[in-house]
Amino acid sequence: MKIYHLSHTDLDGYSCQFVSSFYLKNVEFYNSNYGKEIDKKMSHIISKIGDEKAVILITDLNLTKAQCQSYQDQLKNKDVKLILLDHHQTGAECAAEFSWYYLDNARSATKICYDFFSAIFGKDERLGAYCDVVNAVDIWLKNDPNFELGKVCMGAIAGAKEINKVMFEDEHIEYIFYLMRSFCEFLSLNNAHIELDNRLHGIKKEFFYLKNDDTLSNLNSSYLVRRLEANKDKFSINYRGSKGILTYNIGSASVIGNDFLVANPEFDFFIDMTSKKTMSFRSNGDFDVSQMAKELCDGGGHKNASGGFFAGFVDSYNYDEIKSQVVNLINKKTGEL
């Protein structure tokens, strides 16, 4: 039986998935902020379910009554069990009306999730201790002895931007779980919050480490270049007969773009589209991205490093939708419709 777990994009939301990954197999993980993104992710999940039995688990996200009714109606002819575990009081009306909507505002969603699964499959001392740390910071128990460690964990997850989740959803959740497993190593230490804070940079480097030590930026770039190389067909685009790669909110576009182009000389240019509608253009060699930037978005800059603003860009949670907009822009501006 397939399990689809949709959760929030903070420490509490990811920790719910960390708990379910401990107890369950055959789980696909999805993450969302509130509002329309939930509908987008749920539509994607529901579209993947055929005639097989499945469970959709939603954690640390409160829904509107309209969303609850819509999801329930869409699933009425499928063999799917819907479960929601949450702690936001704004979901009280939904919890009163829908039997699959469980709400308890006295515990974090992670604590609810752990108590739910451990009652079925058995307790785990270390996992339970980690969930207590998340609980302390998420519902802001300032006098709880776990509170300070929870603050460090919360900041670490909020700052875990090294792998973009729109482009690399599976790798992103793998990285988040790696960090959480590392957090568990500090649970029994004196001044655990200080020890973890001191070690965080090294912990991050260890995830990206392959052969030789380097700066976190360079290790991260090498990792992302390898992931881009493994998915060249998905991320490649064309412009006037030249071949390029399109990324989204990749971060450090100059470093990653140059590293990718050096390692993959068959590509002429590198574009990073951002949620702020900006476009970063990079090349390595004779290809002039300043002319490309000028034609596509009235931008410009240097021959190998330019930028522009795509005013008509509509941000999306789906890479294919992002790529489609950039491809359409290229086709429109170059007349290659």
Side-chain angles (χ1 to χ4, degrees):
M1 182 171 62
K2 193 76 173 183
I3 300 165
Y4 301 88
H5 188 170
L6 175 66
S7 198
H8 196 206
T9 56
D10 62 359
L11 175 69
D12 195 25
Y14 285 120
S15 292
C16 291
Q17 295 177 319
F18 187 60
V19 170
S20 69
S21 73
F22 180 86
Y23 285 109
L24 304 172
K25 305 295 183 186
N26 203 24
V27 186
E28 283 189 15
F29 298 104
Y30 299 88
N31 297 91
S32 173
N33 282 304
Y34 301 110
K36 293 182 179 179
E37 187 174 359
I38 299 175
D39 291 330
K40 288 273 191 179
K41 291 297 177 73
M42 280 296 291
S43 294
H44 177 70
I45 291 169
I46 293 171
S47 71
K48 296 190 69 175
I49 301 173
D51 297 328
E52 74 277 12
K53 289 184 179 181
V55 173
I56 298 178
L57 172 64
I58 304 172
T59 55
D60 199 34
L61 290 168
N62 63 271
L63 308 181
T64 65
K65 285 183 66 176
Q67 286 175 318
C68 291
Q69 191 63 58
S70 174
Y71 304 155
Q72 186 170 279
D73 290 345
Q74 290 178 65
L75 294 167
K76 65 182 179 181
N77 294 322
K78 293 180 180 287
D79 193 1
V80 177
K81 186 173 182 61
L82 188 59
I83 303 171
L84 185 143
L85 305 175
D86 190 34
H87 68 129
H88 296 100
Q89 189 59 36
T90 45
E93 189 178 7
C94 295
E97 185 168 337
F98 298 91
S99 61
W100 48 267
Y101 197 121
Y102 180 80
L103 175 69
D104 179 2
N105 64 3
R107 294 175 288 169
S108 67
T110 296
K111 184 69 171 171
I112 295 169
C113 212
Y114 174 74
D115 290 345
F116 176 82
F117 284 115
S118 64
I120 300 170
F121 301 110
K123 295 181 180 296
D124 181 86
E125 184 177 353
R126 188 156 94 154
L127 181 61
Y130 170 73
C131 293
D132 287 340
V133 170
V134 177
N135 188 70
V137 71
D138 193 71
I139 60 175
W140 214 250
L141 304 176
K142 291 195 291 185
N143 295 322
D144 190 295
N146 292 308
F147 181 71
E148 289 298 328
L149 178 57
K151 282 169 58 180
V152 178
C153 295
M154 181 172 64
I157 296 303
K161 308 294 188 184
E162 286 81 8
I163 304 175
N164 182 277
K165 69 185 182 72
V166 173
M167 293 188 65
F168 304 111
E169 196 162 35
D170 292 341
E171 291 87 348
H172 175 77
I173 199 71
E174 179 187 1
Y175 181 45
I176 294 294
F177 286 176
Y178 161 81
L179 291 176
M180 290 178 174
R181 286 192 297 271
S182 298
F183 299 164
C184 291
E185 300 293 331
F186 293 80
L187 293 171
S188 61
L189 300 182
N190 292 326
N191 294 318
H193 59 296
I194 298 173
E195 294 295 331
L196 175 57
D197 188 62
N198 288 339
R199 279 278 292 123
L200 263 176
H201 188 75
I203 289 170
K204 287 188 172 187
K205 287 179 63 175
E206 287 163 10
F207 178 85
F208 297 109
Y209 184 90
L210 185 62
K211 293 181 179 179
N212 301 310
D213 194 14
D214 209 328
T215 63
L216 176 59
S217 174
N218 287 341
L219 292 171
N220 181 213
S221 178
S222 295
Y223 174 90
L224 293 174
V225 167
R226 293 195 300 274
R227 298 316 306 148
L228 290 170
E229 287 174 339
N231 296 275
K232 287 180 181 179
D233 291 341
K234 178 179 181 179
F235 298 127
S236 66
I237 57 173
N238 293 291
Y239 169 80
R240 294 193 176 280
S242 296
K243 187 176 181 181
I245 205 88
L246 174 69
T247 62
Y248 171 75
N249 280 345
I250 197 74
S252 301
S254 292
V255 175
I256 297 167
N258 183 72
D259 287 352
F260 178 84
L261 293 169
V262 169
N264 298 272
E266 71 273 23
F267 285 83
D268 301 298
F269 62 89
F270 181 101
I271 303 176
D272 185 54
M273 185 75 233
T274 78
S275 53
K276 296 181 179 179
K277 302 178 183 276
T278 60
M279 301 179 75
S280 294
F281 300 82
R282 299 292 183 269
S283 66
N284 179 56
D286 293 331
F287 190 87
D288 188 349
V289 291
S290 69
Q291 293 301 311
M292 184 182 187
K294 180 179 179 181
E295 180 176 32
L296 295 185
C297 51
D298 295 323
H302 302 285
K303 178 181 177 181
N304 297 127
S306 292
F309 186 79
F310 183 179
F313 178 71
V314 179
D315 199 19
S316 175
Y317 320 111
N318 182 289
Y319 175 81
D320 291 336
E321 292 178 359
I322 292 165
K323 180 178 178 179
S324 177
Q325 292 183 71
V326 175
V327 169
N328 288 339
L329 174 69
I330 292 172
N331 291 341
K332 180 182 178 180
K333 295 292 186 176
T334 60
E336 297 177 358
L337 293 172

